[in-house]
Amino acid sequence: MKKFKYGIVLTGGIATGKSTVGSLLKMYGYKVIEADDVAHIALQNKFQEIVEVFGECIIDDQGTSISRKKLGAIVFEDQKLMYKLEEIVHPFIVDELYKSAEILENFCVPFFVDIPIYFEKKNLFDFFESNVLIYAPRTLQEIRLQKRNQLTLLQAQQRIALQNDIEEKKAQALYIINNVGSLAELQLELERYLETLKEKYVC
């Protein structure tokens, strides 16, 4: 596999604001490939295999697709089952992200690839040379996740624990965007980062 010079991994912890940054990047005109969108396709592509492992209880009310909510309720409670799901869908996701990145690389313009679990599965995505982490401390993650998903503190902590600790990710990141304040402050942080790309990425 070749390395992608212009592909920058956008990552973070759950509820750190990564999706917000992704939306801002699109607003600024950057292409953003979202692993979560590919994961949706993977669930449909691997429908039968996933149902055989997890049972028909994860099928939606229409009986045609996998309910992410039902599946999530299972895998977020059991890390072994999470690993089983990853074994099924990750090869498909990695392959699709690679093919999409290969197309965008030809334009010699920075683009972003939103991968929530990049540091957890870094060996799968070593074809990207650069990364940027959206950072918020764990206590703020817990508050945001409880509010966003209507979860108890314990449920929020369980979901956060499925990912590497945000401080570990911060130590590995090539660039860090802090998201601890307002949206306006986050935009300023992002704009400072984007300024650094202008000199670095020249075709």
Side-chain angles (χ1 to χ4, degrees):
M1 284 187 171
K2 71 179 182 182
K3 297 277 187 178
F4 295 115
K5 174 184 176 182
Y6 293 93
I8 304 165
V9 173
L10 171 65
T11 192
I14 188 170
T16 60
K18 179 179 54 57
S19 296
T20 301
V21 171
S23 296
L24 289 171
L25 287 168
K26 291 175 186 177
M27 185 180 74
Y28 293 149
Y30 288 91
K31 296 290 186 182
V32 181
I33 304 169
E34 298 193 30
D36 197 49
D37 288 345
V38 180
H40 277 276
I41 300 169
L43 289 180
Q44 196 61 34
N45 186 274
K46 302 292 183 179
F47 178 87
Q48 197 58 48
E49 194 174 345
I50 295 170
V51 171
E52 286 176 5
V53 173
F54 294 94
E56 294 186 359
C57 61
I58 63 169
I59 300 175
D60 63 15
D61 294 337
Q62 286 73 40
T64 57
S65 303
I66 291 171
S67 166
R68 286 173 64 103
K69 184 175 183 180
K70 292 177 181 178
L71 182 59
I74 294 172
V75 297
F76 284 129
E77 295 290 332
D78 189 327
Q79 198 155 24
K80 289 182 180 179
L81 292 177
M82 176 69 82
Y83 290 148
K84 283 188 177 181
L85 177 63
E86 290 174 349
E87 286 176 2
I88 297 170
V89 299
H90 276 180
F92 178 89
I93 293 171
V94 172
D95 186 54
E96 291 299 307
L97 290 179
Y98 185 90
K99 287 189 288 188
S100 296
E102 198 168 28
I103 294 169
L104 291 179
E105 183 76 3
N106 292 325
F107 293 99
C108 297
V109 174
F111 64 93
F112 293 84
V113 188
D114 183 337
I115 306 175
I117 56 170
Y118 171 68
F119 288 115
E120 288 83 351
K121 305 292 179 182
K122 194 173 180 181
N123 61 307
L124 296 178
F125 306 105
D126 62 356
F127 40 85
F128 294 112
E129 293 185 353
S130 189
N131 64 73
V132 56
L133 174 80
I134 312 306
Y135 172 82
R138 180 162 180 153
T139 51
L140 189 51
Q141 281 183 273
E142 292 171 355
I143 292 169
R144 288 174 175 168
L145 188 56
Q146 285 181 83
K147 183 177 180 180
R148 188 186 76 187
N149 291 31
Q150 290 82 52
L151 301 175
T152 65
L153 175 58
L154 179 59
Q155 288 173 323
Q157 290 172 335
Q158 287 174 332
R159 296 199 178 192
I160 291 170
L162 290 172
Q163 299 182 345
N164 288 2
D165 185 82
I166 192 64
E167 301 302 329
E168 291 179 16
K169 294 185 179 189
K170 187 177 182 181
Q172 298 177 71
L174 294 180
Y175 197 94
I176 298 157
I177 293 176
N178 290 297
N179 181 23
V180 295
S182 66
L183 177 60
E185 290 170 321
L186 176 60
Q187 282 188 267
L188 284 175
E189 283 269 322
L190 176 58
E191 287 167 6
R192 290 190 194 102
Y193 167 66
L194 294 177
E195 282 295 316
T196 70
L197 301 184
K198 292 181 179 179
E199 293 183 6
K200 181 178 179 181
Y201 292 95
V202 179
C203 191

